[in-house]
Amino acid sequence: MNKILKSVPLIFSLIVLSFNGYSKPTNKSVFQFRVYHLKNEKQVSMTDSFLQNALLPALHRFGIKNVGVFKPLANDTAVDKLIYVLIPFNSLDQWMKITDRLQSDDIFKKAGADFLHADAKMPAFQRMESILLSAFDGQAGLDLPKQKDANRIFELRSYESPSSHLADKKRAMFNNDEMKIFSRLGFNPVFYAEVISGSHMPNLMYMPVFKSVEDRNAQWKVFGNDARWKEISADPANENNVSVSHIDSILMHSTDYSAY
């Protein structure tokens, strides 16, 4: 009976995902964004310490490498300060087991004790948001920068659609054309993915990389004037003018303890 009960969450998740086209086994990665919401520098410091000294080393012990940690450029003056943690998983099963593995890891619990057992009057963070993503067919995993660069800009872009049908249209545009344009123009996105669990759905996300803010601005101008982009964005078959109802863009630096 216990084995049956333990299998219920996994069975339920697989049933739900099968309705969205994820029932067949694939070699595509699953990503989780953990977004920590913080109100002051004390919480930022506590979360940095927890991530650097407890969470990331534990994930490394479990064989999960290339964990990215990012902070928005606007963090210093923001009321809601954010830290984004991008964790790559080989499968949904690996992601579903991660909490149990962390809870049974004594090294993790000791290293993260101050954060994990923070007093309610002085919490280590305000909220932790989780976004689960499945990689696009055209880029099945992370494509990491070869070297770290403190000045490098990571732009997290989020495209919400008014319907699943139109989100599918936009994903097809990426897989068929847009990813090729980005590659040709040197945008070098770390990932392209569809949100399969999160507070804003349907939703596609990707993360191009730039040398600086100035480079980012110049690159987007080149993209907007690209002949192939103008061609596909004007094609009525793509429904590009209605396939995206809301776009978010967050410019970030990676932390010094991020993998890239």
Side-chain angles (χ1 to χ4, degrees), residues 29-73:
S29 294
V30 173
F31 309 126
Q32 182 191 28
F33 257 123
R34 295 188 176 194
V35 187
Y36 291 89
H37 293 256
L38 315 161
K39 70 175 182 179
N40 53 43
E41 289 303 320
K42 175 66 174 178
Q43 289 189 340
V44 171
S45 177
M46 290 183 69
T47 303
D48 273 329
S49 179
F50 167 72
L51 295 174
Q52 182 175 9
N53 301 312
L55 181 62
L56 267 64
L59 294 175
H60 294 165
R61 289 194 297 276
F62 304 155
I64 300 172
K65 309 294 184 181
N66 298 322
V67 179
V69 185
F70 311 92
K71 295 180 180 179
L73 303 189

Side-chain angles (χ1 to χ4, degrees), residues 126-186:
Q126 299 303 102
R127 285 292 180 269
M128 193 278 282
E129 177 185 353
S130 176
I131 306 169
L132 193 65
L133 306 107
S134 177
F136 281 8
D137 291 336
Q139 185 172 308
L142 296 178
D143 186 3
L144 303 179
K146 293 181 180 179
Q147 296 179 341
K148 289 196 68 172
D149 183 344
N151 296 315
R152 183 183 288 127
I153 297 297
F154 294 84
E155 181 176 10
L156 180 61
R157 294 181 68 86
S158 169
Y159 290 0
E160 297 175 35
S161 295
S163 71
S164 295
H165 162 73
L166 291 171
D168 290 343
K169 285 270 190 176
K170 189 60 181 175
R171 184 176 64 251
M173 282 184 68
F174 271 97
N175 281 312
N176 295 333
D177 290 289
E178 287 189 65
M179 293 170 67
K180 296 174 184 176
I181 299 173
F182 285 134
S183 178
R184 172 164 51 81
L185 297 180

